[in-house]
Amino acid sequence: PSAAPPDSPPRHPTPAPPREGTSPLRAAAAAAAALRPGRPPARTPSSASTPPSRRPPRMFCFRPRRSSSRPAQTGSEDSGSADALGGISVIEGQSATHIEVEAPGAAAARAPAVPQLPAACAAPGAGAPASNSPSSKKPRLAPLDSPTSVLCRSRSMFHAGSAGHPWHDIEIGDEAPEVFNAVIEIPKGSKVKYELDKKTGLMKVDRVLYSSVVYPHNYGFIPRTLCEDNDPMDVLVLMQEPVVTNTFLRARPIGVMPMIDQGEKDDKVICVCADDPEYKSIRDVSDLPDHRLKEIKRFFEDYKKNENKEVAVETFLGKDDAVRAVQKSMDLYGQYVLQQ
């Protein structure tokens, strides 16, 4: 075909270069849109007789760029920015337009580094953060040597960057030890002894009870507490309904059941659900019916008998003793955090 006059507009207008960070598919779409409003190309003798429905379709071809380790020849089509990944060729008929596409990581490489979390939030054994720039918009946490901040953190203390651990990553609550969060391990009415796996943070089946008994109420533990047996503080939460395993709720202590399990102290804090209207009026363990206390005591005396394990349950103590027991477990956990 004859060449177009010098003053005539180009048959295929050159599309605008893609914006930074544009994906190859978006670049191809932009190139296709740029070709639509322009002046249609003049028909060649061969294409003039071709029906419009049989014209060659428009195609998009992605051409990857050669490795940056291979030197590009001056003036060649591969010369240019080292951040270029390749390009999109928009082909329509016998003409084509090529658009360079920037590598996905090129924009991120030029962006300023995001400040790291303070060392207090890092997992045990992790190295020092790369940056502690004060310009970060993320709230800075108090250092571990601040006793007032140990139990009220809003971020993970031991498992940064991983799934939350029920013992360490759930807050105990601002109202503790009067009202606190409790993680339920065993639902009310269950014969399966679920137990927290300290390594993974998941709930595992420890065993099915050997005796023909079921848990009289929801059973679990208080997060961010520690007792003499190296476990979190155990709680028995009285409420109307059973609660699904690995759920946490707000609990209010009303008493303590002192217990010796195979020669080790293993006290249980008796609580009520703070959001159950039926138990709103229960303020102390003495407000419960005597038969309810006998059921609880008998369960813990019998549930290990067929395992030939000795359990001794002593007289129930009141709310003040429960609050002191929870506070002591919080202090022990704080000392453990400082040692870590």
Side-chain angles (χ1 to χ4, degrees):
S2 58
D7 297 334
S8 63
R11 295 182 179 180
H12 297 283
T14 303
R19 294 179 298 177
E20 179 180 347
T22 304
S23 65
L25 293 180
R26 289 183 180 273
L35 291 175
R36 291 194 192 101
R39 177 182 175 183
R43 294 185 180 182
T44 62
S46 59
S47 64
S49 59
T50 305
S53 59
R54 298 196 177 199
R55 290 179 184 175
R58 182 178 297 168
M59 296 179 293
F60 303 94
C61 301
F62 176 71
R63 183 187 63 179
R65 177 171 290 278
R66 290 198 296 249
S67 173
S68 58
S69 60
R70 180 178 178 181
Q73 298 178 0
T74 305
S76 67
E77 60 180 2
D78 284 339
S79 60
S81 171
D83 292 337
L85 175 67
I88 299 292
S89 295
V90 184
I91 304 174
E92 185 174 19
Q94 297 180 353
S95 58
T97 302
H98 186 74
I99 303 173
E100 291 292 341
V101 180
E102 189 178 41
R110 294 192 300 271
V114 179
Q116 300 285 335
L117 287 175
C121 301
S131 172
N132 284 330
S133 172
S135 61
S136 173
K137 295 182 181 180
K138 296 181 180 180
R140 294 178 61 86
L141 301 180
L144 279 177
D145 55 1
S146 175
T148 59
S149 66
V150 169
L151 297 173
C152 297
R153 296 179 182 274
S154 59
R155 295 181 183 271
S156 168
M157 291 185 292
F158 297 106
H159 300 269
S162 63
H165 195 291
W167 186 4
H168 305 297
D169 295 334
I170 296 179
E171 296 181 34
I172 191 173
D174 297 335
E175 302 177 67
E178 297 289 342
V179 179
F180 45 77
N181 290 326
V183 180
I184 300 302
E185 295 173 295
I186 307 170
K188 172 184 177 181
S190 174
K191 194 177 179 180
V192 180
K193 176 67 168 69
Y194 298 99
E195 190 173 274
L196 174 69
D197 182 61
K198 298 178 183 178
K199 182 178 180 180
T200 63
L202 300 176
M203 294 295 172
K204 68 176 181 179
V205 175
D206 180 66
R207 67 186 184 278
V208 177
L209 298 184
Y210 283 51
S211 300
S212 183
V213 292
V214 295
Y215 277 81
H217 298 282
N218 297 302
Y219 182 86
F221 64 89
I222 306 175
R224 301 188 184 182
T225 59
L226 185 66
C227 298
E228 290 83 352
D229 58 356
N230 293 325
D231 288 334
M233 173 65 76
D234 296 324
V235 291
L236 192 69
V237 184
L238 281 62
M239 57 188 302
Q240 299 181 62
E241 300 294 331
V243 176
V244 178
T245 300
N246 208 21
T247 302
F248 73 94
L249 50 79
R250 294 197 315 134
R252 179 164 46 82
I254 61 173
V256 180
M257 184 184 69
M259 193 174 91
I260 304 298
D261 188 354
Q262 302 178 77
E264 293 185 358
K265 186 177 180 181
D266 192 16
D267 296 347
K268 314 294 181 185
V269 176
I270 309 300
C271 307
V272 296
C273 178
D275 300 300
D276 190 332
E278 184 173 323
Y279 289 86
K280 287 287 187 181
S281 60
I282 304 298
R283 296 295 173 180
D284 191 88
V285 71
S286 59
D287 297 334
L288 295 174
D290 291 340
H291 184 72
R292 179 69 58 85
L293 298 178
K294 292 178 180 178
E295 284 183 338
I296 295 174
K297 181 178 179 181
R298 189 66 178 182
F299 168 78
F300 285 99
E301 288 176 340
D302 292 346
Y303 82 123
K304 288 188 176 181
K305 275 197 172 182
N306 286 345
E307 302 176 58
N308 298 320
K309 296 179 180 179
E310 293 294 331
V311 177
V313 179
E314 301 176 3
T315 306
F316 286 86
L317 303 177
K319 175 186 175 181
D320 293 340
D321 296 282
V323 171
R324 283 193 292 267
V326 174
Q327 183 63 59
K328 180 181 178 181
S329 66
M330 293 169 59
D331 296 339
L332 288 176
Y333 183 83
Q335 296 173 13
Y336 166 76
V337 172
L338 294 179
Q339 292 174 1
Q340 295 301 311

